[in-house]
Amino acid sequence: MSFKVLAVGISLFLAGCSGEQLSDEEKQLIGQFRLSELQPLPADPTNKYADQSGPAAFGATLFFEQRLSRDGNVACSTCHISDRQFQDDRPFGKGVGETKRRTMPLAGVAYSPWFFWDGRRDSLWAQALGPLEDQNEHAGTRTAYAQLIAREFKDRYENIFGPLPDLSAVPASAGPFGAEAERAAWMAMSDDQRAAVDLVFANMGKAIAAFERTLVHKPTRFDRFADALAAGRQPEKDAALSEDEILGLRLFVGKARCSTCHTGPRFTDDHFHNTGVPQADGKPLDLGRETAVAQVLADPFNCAGRFRDGDESACGELRFMVKEGPELKRAFKTPSLRGAASRPPYMHAGQFKSLVEVVEHYAAAPQSPDGHSELVRLKLSEREKTALVAFLKTLAQ
């Protein structure tokens, strides 16, 4: 091979890695996915403590506190592991028992208007309360949590939220969930006692949410590549993408239709979709958003409830949400793809073990176990499927 031919070959390879084959229109579209395009986190008018350092520090303590569970062995951090993108690599979350869904990562979670895979909570602080009482997660009770706060964290709580209520006549373990005796004890409490405990409980959620709002995505190789394109520079070294990675990127924003739902700097539209994912083995049928609507409306800690800070103008999402329709059946939230390549398995119950399986599923577009899948069959070659996986890995490096 002559030096001239070798030089041409190297030049073509570098062009493939630098993005020179991308059109101006593609470059502009790709620029919208840059992490640097992410707007500042909007305030949460339902939580006046959301962006204060004191509540965030207290929330971090509560996040890692194992005594916030029935058996004293489960904390939020048990499933949301800090060095694993605040998730646990399991198909089903495992606390006191085993849940029916996968633990979601927490980076950037505060941008979402709905929480959990089905959106059954409408604020980050209300979401933080759910696992504390879920019998397969923390499995504790409201009065037990309030008593723990009064016993172990009284000064820190009162420095933020003001005086704790008198809990001397409150049962040691009572709440609307849990054992029959605990539910009966909750109902035997006076309205004022229940309201006082609920206030402490809500404030715990607001502190945990303040901490979780500090968890952010980090720039990846894709961002360095896209930032270079946006600046009119040739991506080089750790900002360059391979030919396959660029092909995968072009497919992602084009033919493969991935960006229909995985859009914007967080690679998610924060909506709910039925994508025909198979039912999880050994688990009851999960209808997703369809059953979550009633749950979020019934939640005493939702935006319409008495524990919201601010006025009802903050509750537009709750007031105007779609409450019924076939599009809700077996619809689950679009997860962010940032970091996804390093946290298998995939989907709401870990149905797929690898990104290869995920791409195969989206290309085949099978019928949904229930309801109607939004997927459309794709004609992708094996190389194109491989390229899509290659691109997705740039979101985790």
Side-chain angles (χ1 to χ4, degrees), residues 41 59 63-64 75-88 102-112 114-117 124 127-128 131 208-218 266 333 335-336 338-339 343:
L41 182 63
F63 187 90
F64 291 95
C76 303
S77 59
T78 300
C79 293
H80 297 285
I81 303 171
S82 58
D83 62 357
R84 292 300 304 136
Q85 301 179 44
F86 288 90
Q87 55 85 49
D88 60 4
R102 195 176 180 338
T103 301
M104 300 190 86
L106 295 181
V109 66
Y111 280 90
S112 180
W114 302 104
F115 301 88
F116 295 110
W117 280 101
L124 188 56
Q127 180 280 327
I208 294 172
F211 164 65
E212 292 179 337
R213 283 171 65 87
T214 68
L215 306 179
V216 298
H217 294 290
K218 295 180 180 179
R266 292 173 48 242
K333 182 190 284 189
S336 170
R338 287 191 171 274
R343 56 170 192 265

Side-chain angles (χ1 to χ4, degrees), residues 355-391:
L355 288 176
V356 173
E357 291 184 15
V358 173
V359 172
E360 290 285 359
H361 170 80
Y362 276 82
Q367 291 186 347
S368 176
D370 206 342
H372 176 69
S373 172
E374 298 178 24
L375 298 186
V376 176
R377 186 180 294 272
L378 302 172
K379 293 182 178 180
L380 298 177
S381 68
E382 291 305 311
R383 190 206 169 188
E384 287 174 328
K385 294 174 186 177
T386 299
L388 271 172
V389 172
F391 164 66

